[in-house]
């Protein structure tokens, strides 16, 4: 997997204890061998040299598509009566 990242501190973070990383991962899926691209945002807060909060944001449909399983994900979101 290849990744490209941007790093910045959100405005209003006076002590710069929080960073935001936006990155894109490129690779090939194990299941299908198809290429994929997934975009991520990660927010990390640290105090006294320790990570105190970690949040990441990504797209479940994009991940399912990369894994070749998007139809199953979408089907699981439909009401049972319409499946």
């Amino acid at each position: 997997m290849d990744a490209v990242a941007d790093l910045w501190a959100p405005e209003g973070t006076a002590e710069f204890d929080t960073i935001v990383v936006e990155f894109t991962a490129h690779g090939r899926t194990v299941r299908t061998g198809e290429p994929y691209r997934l975009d991520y945002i990660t927010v990390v807060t640290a105090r006294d040299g320790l990570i105190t909060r970690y949040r990441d944001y990504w797209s479940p449909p994009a991940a399912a598509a990369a894994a070749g399983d998007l139809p199953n994900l979408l089907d699981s979101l439909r009401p049972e009566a319409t499946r």
Side-chain angles (χ1 to χ4, degrees), residues 11-72:
E11 195 166 321
T13 306
E15 296 181 24
F16 297 103
D17 59 351
T18 300
I19 61 167
V20 178
V21 180
E22 179 178 8
F23 63 97
T24 300
H26 301 268
R28 291 195 173 271
T29 64
V30 173
R31 181 175 174 193
T32 66
E34 293 294 316
Y36 70 85
R37 174 196 159 156
L38 295 174
D39 297 315
Y40 299 87
I41 298 283
T42 300
V43 181
V44 182
T45 301
R47 264 198 197 88
D48 301 322
L50 299 173
I51 294 174
T52 58
R53 187 171 190 192
Y54 178 93
R55 294 169 288 162
D56 63 10
Y57 303 91
W58 49 278
S59 169
D69 208 28
L70 183 58
N72 287 332

